[in-house]
Amino acid sequence: MEHIRTPKVENVHMIDRLTPRKSTVGTLYLSSTHTIFVENSEARKETWVLHSLVYNVERFPTNPSGSPLIIRCKNFHVYRLLIPQERDCLDVLASLTRLSRPECYGELFCFSFNPNLDKELREKAWGFIDLKAEFNRMGIPSNLWHVTAANHEYRLCDTYPSELFVPKSAFPAVIVGSAKFRSRGRLPVLSYFHRDTSASICRSSQPLSGFSARSSDDEQMLQAIMKSNPISEFMYVVDTRPKLNAMANRAAGKGYENEDHYTNIKLQFIGIENIHVMRNSQQKLIDVGELAAPSMSDFLWGLENSGWLKHIKAVLDAGVFIAKAVAEDGVSVLVHCSDGWDRTAQACSVASVLLDPYYRTIKGLMVLIEKDWVSFGHKFSHRYAHLDGDPKEVSPVMDQFLECVWQLMQQFPCAFEFNERFLIQLHTHIYSCQYGNFIGNCQKERRDLRLQERTHSLWPHLWENRAEYTNPLYRTDHSQTQGVLKPLTTAYCFKFWKGMYGRAEKSVASHQSPADCLNAVREESQQLEEELSAHQEVPRETDAGQETCPTEGEENFRGEEEDQQAV
Amino acid sequence: MEFAELIKTPRVDGVVLHRPFMPTVEGTLCLTGHHLILSSRQDNTEELWLLHANIDSIEKRFVGSLGTIIVKCKDLRVIQLDIPGMEECLNIASSIEALSTLDSVSLMYPFFYRPLFEVIEDGWQLFVPEEAFKDLESMTDEWRLSEVNKDFSVCPSYPSLLTVPKDIDDESLCKAASFRHGGRFPVLSYYHKKNGMVMMRAAQPLTGTNGRRCKEDEKLINATLCAGKRGYIIDTRTIAVAQQAKARGGGFEQEANYAQWRRIHKAIERSNVLQEGLIKLVEACNDQSHSMDRWLSKLEASNWQSNVKEILTTACLAAQCIDREGASVLVHGTEGTDSTLQVTSLAQIILDPACRTIRGFEALIEREWLQAGHPFQQRCAQSAYSNGKPRSEAPVFLLFLDCVWQILRQFPCSFQFNENFLIMLFEHAYASQFGTFLGNSVAERLKLLLSQKTVSLWSWVNRPQELERFLNPLYEPNNLVIWPSVAPQSLLLWEGVFLRWNRSTKCLDEAYQEMVHIIEYNKELQNKVNSLRRQLAQLETEDGPLQTP
């Protein structure tokens, strides 16, 4: 509270740049967690902006009508305010600047957010996603793979989960030796097992090979992974970096696998750029979305210049390559980049979405994120700037994964149980710090923060509201929900994600969405089904009291029909 | 002339057909006077029937004695035929070239086509000006139907009947016509029932360099204004282009002479520029090897999306003047047969819910395009693959359809028809068995006796069996004005046309089927519930009054 210089400012204008007549006047409140704008209109419409979602606040020179202030959010919403008094504007600016940059975890919203759940429910909620059950679901043959205790208490690798699946044939010494030969101890471990072909996706960080170093343990580790797929004679090592970047790493004693030292591996570079390139690219894309009245050329040129879609294509191409190797060629793949927590997570999870229909369901995507991102030490707090810290650590890695899924949804409209809104909601919560799931940078850190005791889990909350996130076209028995997805990745297949990046201006929002119409129709069908069965249950000879029940439902229903016609 | 003279080799066996995203077919290739046919002669396999008129250009290649003909169609499809035998291949190629570029309209397929269905409702009689005028008369008595152009001497590109202000006599119309390019004097395009405002269209005034004026023209358009009200003239050209037009005798309305009007200039490209854009766009869409950067830069360089944006913006402006400002509008460009019609027809789609129904949209195309004298035959003679020097070809109508698609996509529940309907119109505008899009004006169509000698597209489309494919399952009629967003990010590439042959549409088609299924199931349930409700109501009356809450 000590950071709030002014809790309330009246007669603030919320500006709609495209349609000025839609601008509104109201009162601005600052709470310890939110900025709240309440319109003076009769509806008293409220806009709540979470401090932790604020990306930056910018003030413009005071003009006769007041002091303009722009609040830009990490989920790409932009709020343009006009504050009558310059002094108030400065106070709001100073307060928000401080409030949106927490200095320690304790200041984060998740530690004060209290949705009124009792202790028992909260604990149960944390068990909603169970990774052990997930590895069971994959059908991993226990004669080939097992859980190693090597990383108990994070002894081997402090950014990995404590439970790791490794080839059963890899001796403990090999595991330890391999970890020593990998950047930050992130040794090759199982991420996904494809039951249909017995091929697997494993992940790691880069080897510490430099120009000549080698490790027989690491070589044996890869051999063991390859052998865990009985029918295959070689395996792919997918280095998701551009080859030049990988070569440059050799000078620092890191690099990539030497094909001469590892037997039967095929090395493949994919060329996903590093986090700094991605950060700059997204910034350019956001700038395009914020252009005032751009021409078509400004827009297309800006889109090209940002390079964003090129990067999205690279990530999707990586996933397609891996999925094809695993499903069509039956070849196991080891994926790595430098540290194995950004591009590796992207490539593994995109491949998994392509390979396994389960990850295209609402719960399955939660599981996938929990597995490939949360448990394997994707640095959420660094990448999404949860705390005031090094801006060079920030990068939209997860944004790109979610966008790859969205691009796939455009090509396979029936293949996903969830809709665009689900992806956008996930994106918001990765940044919002409202729930504990994405706080910290690895499992160990989360354990040390005792997040499960002190914060709430996002997953059950999303699950309860799943009706809102359901794709009406999804049917479990539809052909698109079965088997492996084979998307086209020609340049023209990629689209600008308007639902995500087109939110700087309210009035550009789309008017009608077919998905929403269909959901309404489906909901209505459900009511009709219920009414139908209610009617059918009523025997012909009954007393009047029972018969009135369905009639009541009927009244409601008629009312709805009229509403729809009035639209 | 006998077609047989042009067909040197009517039949070749062992021809292999390649189409993207489809299995290859081997079979017999036959040439007839109007079709290229490839039949595999096996049961259950698809045959290819291609209208020669649909062929935009061909390319020949030889490897040894195997010849290959690449056939590029006006609907943007590209197919490849492998033909064994050099002579056969050369013969086929030269026949296709000759048959696809026949000069005489009366040799076109519509004059030979005999429908396999019974024409129940003759499309030629569906949309007559007299009927449209009756509707207008029920709303206002300010207008009359003039026969001044009954022999097409006042304006060769106008129909014989025109709606004009009641107080303006035919003599004044003739004088106004002599002051407008091609005799296209201002006529009524649309009457906005909600507030009585109107949209008129014309061609540019012939002011020339010395600022000619025409009192009758001024009187004519002023007659559409309410006392004390100002109107808007929307010139689809930039002020610079309009200035240049003066040197060639054209020009624009001078403020001094049209004091009650405010002139706004927009920047819709001229038709030859649009044609270049189409060629560039299709070239970019057909190259799958493009990197992302190259694709986006080619898309941008084609200017296609910019054109879509500019046309839609202008249409929104016209609609805004009418609906929001409560002002009447006059739209023109140079000839008044291209960008003018894009704007007036799109504005009506925005303003008038009737235009969003199938019949209403057909009527709109009849009124604002066919009868209004858009030169379809000239504009659609060639499409994106034409090699020759462009004459008057231009994708003006395709751009209009693209704009409609953009609005349809933004308002998926507001149109009775779906995307397939628009694509079908695009195809038939360029090559068809029906006579609807032949000729360049009403006068030409009359001379060709199209209504006697050919079948109307509408006669076919409006049959319930055909119509089913074109109905939008999401349609919920509404009476609102719909304002599309013209922000660049809201306007997409029309994949249904431009990427149609460059990707498999299986998954998208399935999604559409799924949508239809969901809605049909809902209707089925509604019927069941309604019938049960009726039964219940009947029981209630039989059993006497119930205690209803």
Side-chain angles (χ1 to χ4, degrees):
Chain A
M1 283 311 235
E2 73 268 32
H3 306 306
I4 302 171
R5 298 213 190 159
T6 176
K8 180 179 171 187
V9 187
E10 288 181 333
N11 286 320
V12 172
H13 289 251
M14 175 92 90
I15 309 290
D16 188 319
R17 196 172 49 160
L18 282 193
T19 339
R21 65 189 166 79
K22 284 190 187 158
S23 299
T24 49
V25 186
T27 306
L28 192 72
Y29 297 91
L30 290 187
S31 81
S32 59
T33 55
H34 289 86
T35 303
I36 306 150
F37 178 80
V38 183
E39 283 179 17
N40 288 348
S41 66
E42 230 164 89
R44 311 283 301 161
K45 194 177 154 248
E46 294 176 7
T47 307
W48 289 59
V49 183
L50 197 58
H51 295 325
S52 45
L53 271 178
V54 172
Y55 168 68
N56 71 16
V57 193
E58 194 181 350
R59 191 179 76 93
F60 290 86
T62 303
N63 59 48
S65 49
S67 283
L69 193 71
I70 294 190
I71 304 176
R72 292 191 182 83
C73 293
K74 293 171 179 172
N75 61 355
F76 315 119
H77 282 290
V78 178
Y79 302 96
R80 292 164 209 281
L81 303 174
L82 190 67
I83 297 173
Q85 299 294 324
E86 188 177 60
R87 189 176 34 81
D88 288 331
C89 183
L90 286 169
D91 282 345
V92 172
L93 173 70
S95 311
L96 274 180
T97 305
R98 175 62 188 86
L99 288 165
S100 62
R101 288 181 202 159
E103 283 163 0
C104 63
Y105 283 122
E107 285 182 27
L108 293 179
F109 181 39
C110 57
F111 294 105
S112 57
F113 173 62
N114 183 6
N116 270 332
L117 277 183
D118 62 36
K119 191 163 167 280
E120 202 180 319
L121 271 175
R122 174 201 292 223
E123 275 165 21
K124 215 177 128 209
W126 277 109
F128 181 72
I129 299 296
D130 178 0
L131 288 186
K132 258 188 210 145
E134 168 55 12
F135 281 101
N136 273 336
R137 187 197 66 85
M138 288 180 199
I140 302 169
S142 56
N143 59 329
L144 296 172
W145 296 88
H146 71 161
V147 178
T148 171
N151 203 32
H152 185 63
E153 284 302 312
Y154 311 101
R155 278 184 310 224
L156 205 56
C157 171
D158 59 0
T159 59
Y160 260 4
S162 58
E163 290 197 352
L164 298 170
F165 270 87
V166 291
K168 209 168 180 185
S169 58
F171 296 118
V174 167
I175 294 170
V176 173
S178 172
K180 280 192 182 137
F181 191 63
R182 293 276 166 179
S183 215
R184 298 172 199 270
R186 294 173 66 92
L187 71 153
V189 296
L190 182 76
S191 165
Y192 176 69
F193 178 81
H194 194 58
R195 206 180 336 194
D196 296 348
T197 59
S198 289
S200 60
I201 302 176
C202 291
R203 57 185 290 172
S204 69
S205 61
Q206 62 186 339
L208 303 174
S209 48
F211 290 104
S212 58
R214 58 190 289 186
S215 153
S216 78
D217 287 331
D218 194 61
E219 288 158 24
Q220 284 180 48
M221 186 70 185
L222 261 65
Q223 188 70 8
I225 289 172
M226 193 199 89
K227 284 277 157 65
S228 301
N229 178 6
I231 51 162
S232 125
E233 282 158 6
F234 72 98
M235 73 181 281
Y236 282 111
V237 174
V238 169
D239 189 327
T240 56
R241 299 168 293 184
K243 190 167 184 189
L244 223 60
N245 299 23
M247 284 167 78
N249 262 294
R250 287 163 71 177
K254 299 166 187 173
Y256 51 92
E257 291 79 358
N258 184 333
E259 279 174 290
D260 296 337
H261 298 164
Y262 293 80
T263 37
N264 305 320
I265 66 159
K266 284 188 186 170
L267 194 59
Q268 174 77 35
F269 292 96
I270 298 275
I272 305 176
E273 298 288 349
N274 65 30
I275 57 168
H276 312 294
V277 174
M278 300 308 191
R279 177 179 56 244
N280 294 334
S281 169
Q282 192 189 43
Q283 188 51 53
K284 286 185 189 162
L285 184 75
I286 295 167
D287 293 344
V288 172
E290 262 200 69
L291 287 175
S295 71
M296 188 55 83
S297 292
D298 294 339
F299 174 73
L300 288 174
W301 189 84
L303 192 58
E304 180 196 339
N305 184 246
S306 76
W308 183 254
L309 289 179
K310 177 172 68 188
H311 300 313
I312 296 295
K313 175 171 154 56
V315 176
L316 194 55
D317 278 331
V320 168
F321 178 87
I322 298 165
K324 184 175 173 294
V326 168
E328 287 179 33
D329 313 334
V331 174
S332 292
V333 183
L334 170 67
V335 186
H336 71 72
C337 46
S338 297
D339 291 312
W341 51 42
D342 294 315
R343 288 171 272 200
T344 300
Q346 289 176 329
C348 290
S349 51
V350 169
S352 299
V353 167
L354 295 172
L355 285 167
D356 195 331
Y358 177 62
Y359 298 129
R360 296 173 223 145
T361 64
I362 291 178
K363 181 135 187 216
L365 189 69
M366 296 177 184
V367 167
L368 184 66
I369 291 172
E370 192 69 34
K371 176 171 73 72
D372 276 351
W373 297 81
V374 178
S375 88
F376 273 111
H378 175 63
K379 304 203 290 173
F380 281 93
S381 279
H382 284 165
R383 295 292 176 259
Y384 312 113
H386 292 164
L387 300 178
D388 193 20
D390 183 0
K392 285 212 163 65
E393 280 284 331
V394 178
S395 187
V397 184
M398 191 87 192
D399 301 36
Q400 292 183 317
F401 165 66
L402 294 174
E403 177 156 347
C404 283
V405 176
W406 181 82
Q407 300 283 357
L408 288 171
M409 284 162 69
Q410 307 311 300
Q411 286 194 40
F412 305 96
C414 305
F416 294 85
E417 187 190 14
F418 45 82
N419 57 17
E420 177 182 28
R421 202 175 291 140
F422 186 60
L423 298 179
I424 292 175
Q425 193 68 5
L426 280 174
H427 178 267
T428 294
H429 281 298
I430 281 156
Y431 286 88
S432 75
C433 301
Q434 185 171 353
Y435 294 88
N437 304 65
F438 309 119
I439 307 303
N441 295 305
C442 59
Q443 204 178 64
K444 180 170 180 288
E445 203 177 349
R446 271 186 290 277
R447 191 197 59 175
D448 295 347
L449 283 167
R450 294 188 294 113
L451 285 171
Q452 302 212 353
E453 295 155 50
R454 300 167 65 201
T455 71
H456 293 267
S457 169
L458 169 68
W459 305 128
H461 167 72
L462 292 179
W463 182 250
E464 276 157 29
N465 296 303
R466 62 188 176 279
E468 212 179 308
Y469 304 124
T470 303
N471 170 14
L473 298 175
Y474 179 80
R475 227 180 344 112
T476 45
D477 54 349
H478 194 283
S479 63
Q480 281 182 41
T481 59
Q482 322 292 321
V484 180
L485 296 184
K486 291 173 193 159
L488 206 62
T489 60
T490 318
Y492 55 61
C493 296
F494 291 81
K495 295 176 190 158
F496 174 79
W497 189 1
K498 188 182 161 219
M500 181 66 92
Y501 295 104
R503 295 193 282 178
E505 306 293 347
K506 285 193 284 183
S507 17
V508 184
S510 52
H511 308 264
Q512 295 170 342
S513 129
D516 287 345
C517 299
L518 283 179
N519 266 330
V521 170
R522 274 181 44 152
E523 222 165 273
E524 192 193 271
S525 292
Q526 218 161 28
Q527 285 174 9
L528 287 169
E529 275 171 354
E530 280 162 23
E531 192 184 342
L532 210 55
S533 64
H535 278 313
Q536 279 158 352
E537 271 165 29
V538 179
R540 280 184 72 94
E541 276 86 33
T542 46
D543 66 283
Q546 267 173 310
E547 257 182 276
T548 49
C549 296
T551 331
E552 214 174 325
E554 194 182 309
E555 287 304 323
N556 290 337
F557 183 69
R558 279 205 191 121
E560 267 194 25
E561 267 184 338
E562 274 155 24
D563 280 350
Q564 283 194 338
Q565 276 160 5
V567 170
Chain B
M1 189 201 65
E2 288 292 324
F3 292 118
E5 291 167 21
L6 298 175
I7 306 172
K8 292 175 195 153
T9 305
R11 228 190 84 172
V12 190
D13 290 319
V15 173
V16 180
L17 165 70
H18 302 270
R19 288 172 292 184
F21 299 98
M22 288 199 194
T24 54
V25 181
E26 192 186 327
T28 303
L29 178 75
C30 299
L31 289 187
T32 72
H34 294 105
H35 284 96
L36 180 157
I37 305 156
L38 189 116
S39 161
S40 72
R41 303 208 158 180
Q42 279 160 8
D43 290 337
N44 298 328
T45 44
E46 202 193 336
E47 288 182 338
L48 172 79
W49 281 71
L50 193 65
L51 261 183
H52 292 317
N54 190 2
I55 296 172
D56 210 17
S57 69
I58 61 166
E59 279 168 31
K60 306 178 282 262
R61 278 185 220 146
F62 291 96
V63 181
S65 68
L66 182 78
T68 292
I69 302 179
I70 311 234
V71 180
K72 299 182 173 182
C73 303
K74 289 175 186 163
D75 61 15
L76 309 184
R77 164 173 38 169
V78 177
I79 60 171
Q80 182 185 327
L81 298 165
D82 293 343
I83 299 168
M86 171 132 24
E87 199 191 330
E88 280 83 358
C89 184
L90 282 171
N91 284 347
I92 295 282
S94 71
S95 301
I96 296 177
E97 254 166 5
L99 290 165
S100 62
T101 51
L102 293 174
D103 274 337
S104 166
V105 184
S106 57
L107 290 176
M108 302 294 269
Y109 186 50
F111 288 95
F112 298 82
Y113 169 74
R114 292 291 157 260
L116 292 171
F117 58 89
E118 192 193 340
V119 175
I120 296 167
E121 195 181 26
D122 185 1
W124 290 117
Q125 310 305 326
L126 263 187
F127 307 103
V128 288
E130 289 91 337
E131 289 297 317
F133 186 74
K134 267 185 206 156
D135 286 345
L136 181 69
E137 258 185 325
S138 69
M139 299 183 275
T140 168
D141 58 0
E142 309 263 296
W143 299 83
R144 69 182 183 95
L145 214 47
S146 163
E147 291 185 0
V148 68
N149 198 37
K150 72 172 178 271
D151 54 1
F152 307 104
S153 58
V154 177
C155 173
S157 64
Y158 266 170
S160 51
L161 291 174
L162 291 156
T163 309
V164 296
K166 199 169 75 183
D167 299 337
I168 306 297
D169 57 25
D170 282 357
E171 201 180 324
S172 305
L173 293 179
C174 290
K175 285 194 176 135
S178 66
F179 182 63
R180 294 273 171 179
H181 191 117
R184 294 176 70 93
F185 58 88
V187 295
L188 181 78
S189 162
Y190 171 67
Y191 178 84
H192 196 44
K193 196 175 168 185
K194 198 165 118 193
N195 59 10
M197 293 302 128
V198 297
M199 178 161 57
M200 285 178 301
R201 53 176 158 74
Q204 65 176 344
L206 302 174
T207 56
T209 38
N210 47 19
R212 243 181 90 202
R213 67 184 285 190
C214 169
K215 287 268 172 50
E216 287 76 11
D217 187 78
E218 293 157 24
K219 207 176 133 208
L220 168 55
I221 71 167
N222 286 340
T224 67
L225 293 177
C226 309
K229 272 275 202 180
R230 295 229 305 177
Y232 289 88
I233 294 173
I234 296 177
D235 191 326
T236 62
R237 308 161 294 178
T238 60
I239 179 75
V241 173
Q243 286 281 11
Q244 284 161 15
K246 281 186 181 172
R248 290 186 300 275
F252 51 87
E253 294 81 356
Q254 297 294 337
E255 286 83 352
N257 304 337
Y258 296 84
Q260 284 171 276
W261 295 82
R262 215 191 118 196
R263 210 179 60 243
I264 304 173
H265 288 274
K266 299 300 286 181
I268 301 181
E269 290 285 3
R270 281 191 60 89
S271 44
N272 55 334
V273 183
L274 300 180
Q275 180 68 8
E276 279 168 36
L278 175 67
I279 292 169
K280 282 188 192 163
L281 175 68
V282 171
E283 210 175 80
C285 290
N286 283 349
D287 193 337
Q288 322 228 339
S289 68
H290 282 328
S291 70
M292 187 64 73
D293 287 352
R294 194 155 169 75
W295 155 248
L296 288 172
S297 92
K298 288 209 143 193
L299 177 64
E300 195 265 316
S302 79
N303 262 327
W304 185 266
Q305 295 298 95
S306 300
N307 292 327
V308 168
K309 179 170 155 62
E310 191 61 30
I311 294 165
L312 264 179
T313 307
T314 311
C316 284
L317 173 72
Q320 213 161 6
C321 291
I322 294 168
D323 189 68
R324 293 264 169 89
E325 303 278 320
S328 287
V329 169
L330 168 68
V331 183
H332 71 73
T334 305
E335 288 102 342
T337 53
D338 295 294
S339 59
T340 306
L341 305 182
Q342 289 172 330
V343 174
T344 57
S345 52
L346 286 167
Q348 292 181 54
I349 285 167
I350 292 166
L351 293 170
D352 186 1
C355 294
R356 299 173 219 143
T357 64
I358 289 205
R359 282 295 167 110
F361 192 66
E362 289 171 1
L364 182 76
I365 287 174
E366 274 286 342
R367 221 169 48 230
E368 291 298 302
W369 291 88
L370 291 161
Q371 291 168 14
H374 175 65
F376 274 98
Q377 198 166 315
Q378 288 175 10
R379 297 285 182 258
C380 301
Q382 298 259 264
S383 169
Y385 302 119
S386 60
N387 297 325
K389 220 162 140 200
R391 286 164 300 184
S392 340
E393 294 83 7
V396 177
F397 187 62
L398 175 58
L399 265 164
F400 158 71
L401 295 175
D402 193 331
C403 292
V404 177
W405 177 78
Q406 305 285 351
I407 308 177
L408 166 64
R409 214 190 50 79
Q410 291 185 29
F411 296 90
C413 306
S414 299
F415 289 80
Q416 192 186 15
F417 51 86
N418 60 18
E419 178 181 4
N420 294 336
F421 191 64
L422 300 174
I423 297 174
M424 180 275 296
L425 288 171
F426 158 60
E427 289 173 343
H428 283 277
Y430 278 85
S432 176
Q433 64 268 47
F434 304 107
T436 299
F437 292 110
L438 291 182
N440 293 305
S441 63
V442 173
E444 278 189 39
R445 273 179 219 111
L446 276 176
K447 214 186 268 170
L448 287 166
L449 301 173
L450 287 180
S451 62
Q452 289 105 298
K453 292 187 169 176
T454 73
V455 180
S456 159
L457 173 66
W458 315 127
S459 303
W460 171 73
V461 166
N462 288 336
R463 301 169 71 236
Q465 306 86 308
E466 303 299 334
L467 213 51
E468 210 174 324
R469 279 189 294 145
F470 303 126
L471 289 173
N472 174 11
L474 291 171
Y475 180 53
E476 287 274 343
N478 73 52
N479 280 318
L480 303 172
V481 175
I482 51 176
W483 297 107
S485 161
V486 293
Q489 43 180 274
S490 303
L491 304 174
L492 299 185
L493 176 71
W494 190 7
E495 299 181 348
V497 165
F498 298 109
L499 300 181
R500 183 179 180 189
W501 313 102
N502 298 331
R503 52 171 193 175
S504 157
T505 54
K506 181 175 160 279
C507 291
L508 302 177
D509 295 344
E510 283 171 359
Y512 186 81
Q513 282 314 316
E514 200 60 31
M515 182 167 89
V516 171
H517 173 79
I518 290 171
I519 288 162
E520 274 173 3
Y521 177 63
N522 178 269
K523 284 191 182 137
E524 206 178 290
L525 282 174
Q526 262 174 12
N527 288 340
K528 277 190 196 161
V529 168
N530 286 340
S531 102
L532 275 173
R533 278 177 190 162
R534 273 195 301 276
Q535 284 180 29
L536 206 66
Q538 216 162 19
L539 279 174
E540 281 171 11
T541 47
E542 281 167 19
D543 295 352
L546 296 167
Q547 323 120 320
T548 33

